[in-house]
Amino acid sequence: MNTEALRSFVRAAEIGQLQQAADELGVTQQAVSKRIAALERELGVRLFTRTARGVELTLDGQAFLPHARSIVAGMERAIGAVRPGSRALRIDVLGLRSAQAVVLHDYWRSHPETDLDVVTLRVDDPRVVVAAVEAGDIDASFRTVTAPDALPPDVRMIHAFASPLELLVGPGHPLAAARSLTPPQLRRHRIWVPGIAPRSEWSDFYDQLATDFDLRIDAAGPHFGDEVLLDTLADSADVATLVGARDRYIWPAGHDLRRIPVVNPTLAYPLSLLLPRTNPHPGLRGIITHLESLPVLPGPVWLPPWATTPRRGADDSADARGSPPRQG
């Protein structure tokens, strides 16, 4: 099967325009049309129907697309593994101020020769991210699938690191003067985490956290951005939120917000890395080594039951789930 025909089919399917797909591939629209026509003859089915706006996939085309994507992605990874100057290592993070981005930046500062492309897939459902890894659209993602048995065979999940949580409050909050807090001290206080999306890993995390420690996690209202959240905390005497210790937040000096560690046990958000099971980008080797070198959190630590555990040596089977919530 002609790989250029497959590549043309995938780009045309993703864009919905033959001319734009041809422009991206550096060929004429006629060449793309001929490639797709030859592919249709080989398969014995129609892959596209023409519309006023371009082309749309037929049912056969929809069924064929994920397999064609996998073939094209595997081919690109194979070429990239041996070709100097191949595509940059593309890794998805939840946000550019998140702990994952901070850790990646630390790695890049020590290895500035790394050709790294940090992206943020603005989706909440981890299954969409898994599909992007499987298709080769990204090389890895700092996401966690809380039901690892649902992962497709071509994608694996390994432990990245655990991010300790801190309580973020304004100067008028009753807990503002504390140097550290224990989970029981958070009870009955309103912990506002707006924008918890259904099916997201953080939805599962906060549900488990609230259940295990009888906390009042409030997700009411839309999330209008960090600036609005920080403004609300600065002006409130009864609202707090939870943030990762490595997460970057910037607020005006007049806000006088306080970040207070939560200890005994430390509440930690587990971060995993999704990557292809075969032919991963060669640049991931250094990233994984860096993650394994991060210090282990001291003292008793709480993690949800689905958290991944650190790998043991080179044994990739340690991608597995943890046991019930661990405290210590």
Side-chain angles (χ1 to χ4, degrees):
M1 188 169 289
N2 188 301
T3 55
E4 291 306 316
L6 286 172
R7 192 192 306 274
S8 298
F9 163 71
V10 169
R11 291 308 293 144
E14 292 172 341
I15 297 170
Q17 295 281 343
L18 294 183
Q19 183 60 63
Q20 190 174 344
D23 292 342
E24 287 195 10
L25 295 169
V27 297
T28 64
Q29 179 178 339
Q30 184 179 19
V32 169
S33 296
K34 286 183 176 180
R35 289 174 181 177
I36 293 174
L39 187 60
E40 289 177 326
R41 287 195 298 272
E42 184 173 356
L43 295 171
V45 298
R46 290 186 64 192
L47 299 172
F48 289 112
T49 57
R50 291 187 176 272
T51 69
R53 293 177 296 178
V55 291
E56 291 183 355
L57 288 169
T58 63
L59 290 176
D60 287 322
Q62 293 175 32
F64 185 61
L65 178 59
H67 304 289
R69 272 180 172 153
S70 295
I71 294 171
V72 171
M75 177 181 62
E76 290 179 349
R77 286 196 295 270
I79 294 171
V82 296
R83 175 184 290 170
S86 59
R87 177 173 67 74
L89 171 60
R90 186 177 300 156
I91 300 184
D92 164 58
V93 297
L94 288 175
L96 295 180
R97 294 182 179 179
S98 67
Q100 311 119 64
V102 172
V103 167
L104 276 181
H105 184 234
D106 289 343
Y107 172 78
W108 181 82
R109 288 176 63 190
S110 300
H111 303 80
E113 74 284 358
T114 304
D115 193 7
L116 186 61
D117 184 11
V118 181
V119 300
T120 55
L121 299 182
R122 300 192 177 279
V123 296
D124 300 321
D125 190 339
R127 293 174 298 182
V128 178
V129 181
V130 168
V133 172
E134 189 174 25
D137 297 333
I138 54 175
D139 298 304
S141 174
F142 280 97
R143 307 272 184 146
T144 299
V145 175
T146 59
D149 290 342
L151 281 172
D154 294 336
V155 177
R156 66 188 180 107
M157 183 171 68
I158 63 174
H159 172 80
F161 61 95
S163 179
L165 298 186
E166 297 174 332
L167 192 74
L168 183 62
V169 297
H173 195 278
L175 301 176
R179 291 193 174 185
S180 64
L181 294 164
T182 63
Q185 290 177 291
L186 305 184
R187 290 174 185 159
R188 296 182 298 278
H189 290 282
R190 181 189 176 199
I191 301 174
W192 187 40
V193 187
I196 296 179
R199 295 185 174 179
S200 66
E201 63 187 80
W202 49 96
S203 175
D204 291 346
F205 174 82
Y206 283 114
D207 284 348
Q208 190 71 52
L209 183 64
T211 298
D212 284 5
F213 294 101
D214 192 25
L215 300 184
R216 182 185 168 198
I217 307 291
D218 180 3
H223 185 27
F224 286 102
D226 291 340
E227 290 78 9
V228 173
L229 174 61
L230 298 175
D231 289 346
T232 301
L233 295 174
D235 294 336
S236 176
D238 63 356
V239 178
T241 196
L242 289 168
V243 297
R246 285 190 176 95
D247 295 345
R248 288 176 175 159
Y249 288 90
I250 301 173
W251 56 79
H255 279 17
D256 194 22
L257 300 184
R258 323 291 175 80
R259 299 180 70 143
I260 309 170
V262 183
V263 297
N264 294 323
T266 295
L267 304 182
Y269 189 98
L271 290 157
S272 304
L273 190 69
L274 296 167
L275 67 158
R277 187 169 293 279
T278 58
N279 298 320
H281 192 291
L284 281 172
R285 191 175 303 114
I287 299 288
I288 293 172
T289 300
H290 176 69
L291 294 174
E292 291 172 342
S293 72
L294 295 176
V296 177
L297 296 180
V301 176
W302 176 89
L303 291 166
W306 39 263
T308 52
T309 53
R311 298 193 304 159
R312 297 171 179 84
D315 182 9
D316 288 342
S317 67
D319 302 350
R321 308 168 299 287
S323 43
R326 301 185 290 288
Q327 299 186 24

